[in-house]
Amino acid sequence: MTLRTEPVVVNVGPHHPSTHGVFRMKLTFDGENIIDAEPVIGYLHRGTEKLAEERQYTQVITLTDRLDYVSSMTNNQAYVLSCERLVGIEPPARGKYLRVIAAELQRVASHLIGVGFFLQELGVFGGTALMYAFRERERILDMFEMLCGARITLSYMRIGGVLQDAPEEFWPSLRSFLDDMPGYADEMQALVFESEIVRARAIGVAPVSAEDAVAASFTGPILRASGVAWDWRKAAPYDVYDQVEFEVPTCEGGDNYDRFWVRMQEVRQSLRIIEQCCAQIEPGPVRATMAMLFRPPPGEAYVPIEAPKGELGFYLVSDGSIAPYRCHVRSPSFMSLTLFREMLVGWKLADAIVTLGSLDFNMGEVDR
Amino acid sequence: MGETLADNVIYRNVYAFVEGALGPDWAWAAYAAGGLAIILLVANGVMAIGTGYTWFERRLLGRFQGRLGPNRAGPFGLFQPIADAIKLISKEDIIALGADKVVFTLAPVVMLAPTILVLAVIPFGSGSWLADLNVAALYIAAVSGIATIAVMMAGYASPNSFSLFGSMRAVAMLVSYEVPLVMALLGVTILAQSMSLVDIVEAQALPFLIVTPLGALVFLAAVSAELNRAPFDVTEAESELVAGYMTEYSGMKYGVFMLAEFTNTVVAGAIFAALFLQGWKWAVLPSHLWFLIKVGGFVFVAVWVRATLPRFRLDQILSAAWKYLFPLSLLNAMLLAAEVIIWPERGAAELGIMAAVNWAVSVPAALLWSRAVSLRSAPPTLAALSPRAFSGAAGRARQAPGGEAAPDSAARSAGTEGG
Amino acid sequence: MYGAGILRGLGVTLRNLARRPFTIQYPEERVPQHPRFRGQEFTWYEQRCTGCASCAKYCPLGIIRIVTDPDGGNEQDGGSYKVDVFDIDQARCMYCGLCVEACPYDALHMGSGFEAATLRREDLVINVDMLKAREKRPSTWFRPQLERAKADPHHGDPVEWREAGREPFPWHPKRPAQTPEEMDHRASADGSYRSER
Ligand code: SF4
Ligand code: SF4
């Protein structure tokens, strides 16, 4: 006897504990198995690109803070790099080093949150690792507060450098953070990655092959998890990434476990980069120009950077006025959702939640 | 054996009072009144402990996560449960449109019933029990099964897919875990040669936790599944199902669900203490207090596990029940049966020898068996069913180093009851 | 060994049980703030403000409203406008600080508070009288001179308008190395205020 069953369509989101903001998944279930999946986005659309066209170049920096609000610093960096190419100025060395230190701190913070959510989505109540991640991130935010007076919406970078030099007390607290962090990273790794339950839940789930990942425009950790060692910091070094040594961690499987594993390893590489920057940085000016108003010559510029979530770039077109004629954001989070359906179909609801978390997208950046 | 029911102070006084008021012809009424008085005391006492336990769990979980937990209401937040209760009672009692009203309302009550019923047979201290039932172990297994019905009712009555998912998961899981639970109880019963919890406690010259580690492991796993506790809490799975079968509940109905759940944990701790930790025995402290400490140890471990372990997926839970826990519990029961025949007199020395044998057999058995049973995920087999063409992007499974991607199709098909 | 990872994880959580909680019990304790924290309650020195409205112009949201009045007719030689209206709509402010960065005379500074909740949105608009009456505790954000003077909006003393000035900035070639007295373009020779007429 065969039972006649009907597929059930369930709207997971836009208000759901695990959809990372207002994201809606239209999942069709056969029992617990997903047989169709459709992402519905746009609930957080704020028209950032259009708003940028009506603001001066410097004012747009405040908009970039609000794209991927978990890593404002790299958003600032991507934007000012594009602006600098458009305007044609070069920041002084100390400014570049400060930018890299800030951006790598931001990468650590972002990846900590990402890895912390792994355990939360696998079902630890309150995400114990997430709370530990917040504890470490808090120290990074304290340092950001010293740099630029804000913790989340930073607006630290300026066209031609950074806003202001780091205060004296920044360096000791950075030092103690660099000393403590490897130990915490080990702890995190023991808690999250070694548990047999996590391994059983995540290894082999929703794998993406290298070809598929490249074809789907994946960038960042989710591309490297599939085995493609592609990193803009190596491929086209910006700021001072050509002065520092680091590795690009990759994995083979491209499954949920690997995607988080790559992030965990990148945290360690980021710490390495910050160490080297601290050793190399020298006193000097941090900002090439104090100007706030720019009239770049007509033209266009696009400088991709390696944001924590992947390739982030601002494509700016200038018509010679004080505001961009067009500002397009190439956001990694949006591209991460291209294989959404292919990754989810065939797996179970519980896997879908973890897969979604492993993409580590941010709705502020997807919807813009 | 300590005092019996007839020696109990409350019972005696109530009995004497009612009999004195109504005359000796009404002895049955006096008996009922005395019994009721004690039932009221025990049921409310344990529920109060369960309520207080919510504070304990939240505080402890907070400390595990580097937080403080509830600390606003009263000293150390001790009045938090009271504040919660006031809030829940004063909330509007919402019954969702399209819900089956009768079933929807009944479900929390049915959920709470087994919790209270189980209390009847638990020996809280030397001489403190409501009924020394000679089939107590069986009674516990039978009564705790009622909770399944309550979860099913809640999920069925709520017009919500998440509730339905939660209740379907619960039924699949709870039905599976009844088997290892009963098998674990069987092991203890064989060892004590009795189903009465009092006799089982008396038989523990050594704690059965030491004598039969495998039985304790299986019991722990099964009981966490029955209680929807980590790592088997797929029924509520707040990161997936919002709140599972409770999604549509609010106000005191939700409160009763939570009360049942938290009290259940305490009650499970009591059962575990009686079955495996010598109950009230080995007392350097007053036996009731000693019992409470053992229960406290159990709930501490429960919270600790909840703070650390992620949950299994449903199919992995079912695989674990049928492929791992069930064979191990069978092995355990047979081992114990053989040993009971070899050593008919079981003092501390004999139990010690049995413990050594059991540890020697069960640790390798558990480890070997865990190698044979893989919970790893297989690539999806449902791709062909997909209404749209499947690109095959997810089709290439990774061969994990050391672990083989064994397709567990039995568990896979067990998860298809949602239609 | 199977289960070893689980045990290690349990060990990690147990270790963290022994650590002190890292959360802050907010109304009783506060996170220590850096003097650079940019927050609510703008600090504005009327003595320094020329009414140039650069701040209003550079605010990305356009929430600063300034109405000025010619002030005695000597604007050509360094006088200033009289500021009649200086409204900052804090309800929409995102504390980005661009207005402060844009102010050429260090008249406007960020504040350091974060608790300006009100029951009505209108109450969030800061007007010129409130700005004048406020205790002057500027954040040291983008004000290196305050940082050098170890000003601290939380623990330090209020900063007088004379101390809030900065060193000559590169974009001010016409005003090299001014003393605070020279910076006070409103002060007459005898030190009295013209704006107090
Ligand atoms: S802080 Fe930013 S948003 Fe607020 S008034 Fe100043 S420029 Fe405008
Ligand atoms: S506060 Fe500064 S920028 Fe604004 S009007 Fe006054 S002087 Fe000009």
Side-chain angles (χ1 to χ4, degrees), chain A residues 6 8 10-12 16-18 29-33 35-36 38 119-128 131-132 191 195 197-201 203 205 207-209 212 253 255 258 341-342 345-351 353, chain B residues 61 64-67 161-162 165 169 231 233 238-242 306-316 375-380 382 385-394 396-398 400 412 415-419:
Chain A
E6 271 177 29
V8 188
V10 179
N11 274 309
V12 180
H16 186 274
S18 299
F29 286 101
D30 174 17
E32 284 261 335
N33 297 296
I35 53 175
D36 195 12
E38 190 186 320
L119 218 53
Q120 155 89 19
E121 267 139 9
L122 283 171
V124 176
F125 178 83
T128 305
M131 292 307 292
Y132 300 161
L191 179 59
S195 166
I197 300 181
V198 174
R199 297 173 72 91
R201 280 290 305 274
I203 290 183
V205 173
V208 177
S209 70
D212 286 338
D255 52 31
D258 287 350
R341 187 174 168 277
E342 283 72 12
V345 165
W347 299 95
K348 295 189 194 317
L349 173 59
D351 295 326
I353 300 291
Chain B
L61 201 60
F64 269 121
Q65 300 178 342
R67 302 181 282 119
S161 306
F162 290 125
F165 268 110
R169 284 177 172 194
D233 52 347
E238 91 283 342
S239 65
E240 297 153 27
L241 298 182
V242 190
R306 190 179 178 204
T308 313
L309 297 190
R311 72 175 74 86
F312 285 109
R313 210 169 43 211
L314 179 63
D315 58 318
Q316 291 170 336
L375 299 178
R376 287 277 159 81
S377 308
L382 275 171
L385 295 178
S386 174
R388 289 189 232 149
F390 184 67
S391 82
R396 281 173 287 275
R398 156 204 163 122
R412 218 158 249 293
T416 54
E417 69 284 83

Side-chain angles (χ1 to χ4, degrees), chain B residues 14-274:
Chain B
V14 174
Y15 189 93
F17 175 75
V18 175
E19 202 182 27
L22 298 176
D25 288 351
W26 293 81
W28 61 271
Y31 179 72
L36 268 178
I38 291 187
I39 289 170
L40 271 178
L41 190 75
V42 171
N44 284 313
V46 172
M47 301 260 275
I49 289 178
T51 317
Y53 168 66
T54 61
W55 173 85
F56 175 78
E57 165 143 8
R58 291 170 65 187
R59 269 309 268 208
L60 190 61
L61 201 60
R63 288 306 307 270
F64 269 121
Q65 300 178 342
R67 302 181 282 119
L68 269 180
N71 64 341
R72 292 283 128 178
F76 304 109
L78 266 172
F79 301 151
Q80 188 64 37
I82 302 172
D84 282 345
I86 292 174
K87 177 210 156 203
L88 285 173
I89 290 172
S90 56
K91 264 178 101 166
E92 187 190 349
D93 185 27
I94 301 169
I95 296 181
L97 197 68
D100 187 330
K101 285 205 182 59
V102 180
V103 181
F104 190 82
T105 316
L106 225 51
V109 183
V110 177
M111 186 78 181
L112 196 54
T115 314
I116 296 175
L117 287 176
V118 164
L119 293 179
V121 295
I122 295 174
F124 293 101
S126 97
S128 301
W129 50 81
L130 287 182
D132 180 8
L133 213 58
N134 58 0
V135 287
L138 204 59
Y139 173 81
I140 290 172
V143 165
S144 64
I146 297 177
T148 318
I149 300 173
V151 172
M152 180 76 199
M153 283 164 73
Y156 160 78
S158 308
N160 188 319
S161 306
F162 290 125
S163 305
L164 193 65
F165 268 110
S167 65
M168 287 305 170
R169 284 177 172 194
V171 172
M173 186 174 82
L174 299 183
V175 167
S176 306
Y177 273 84
E178 288 288 320
V179 179
L181 180 73
V182 171
M183 294 301 286
L185 286 176
L186 181 64
V188 176
T189 311
I190 291 174
L191 210 48
Q193 294 287 302
S194 166
M195 277 197 179
S196 149
L197 284 193
V198 179
D199 290 349
I200 290 175
V201 171
E202 294 288 347
Q204 293 182 44
L206 275 182
F208 282 175
L209 177 65
I210 298 172
V211 179
T212 152
L214 210 52
L217 176 79
V218 173
F219 182 82
L220 269 181
V223 112
S224 345
E226 294 270 331
L227 294 176
N228 300 328
R229 287 198 68 95
F232 301 102
D233 52 347
V234 286
T235 321
E236 295 171 30
E238 91 283 342
S239 65
E240 297 153 27
L241 298 182
V242 190
Y245 59 91
M246 293 190 279
T247 308
E248 288 295 335
Y249 282 88
S250 71
M252 206 50 212
K253 291 205 186 81
Y254 177 78
V256 170
F257 267 124
M258 293 315 275
L259 178 65
E261 204 152 278
F262 280 105
T263 312
N264 265 335
T265 310
V266 181
V267 170
I271 296 174
F272 186 79

Side-chain angles (χ1 to χ4, degrees), chain C residues 42 58-61 63-64 88 93-99 110:
Chain C
F42 291 90
Y58 282 99
C59 174
L61 306 177
I63 57 173
I64 301 182
I88 305 177
C93 180
M94 56 188 175
Y95 308 105
C96 64
L98 284 184
C99 51
M110 295 305 289

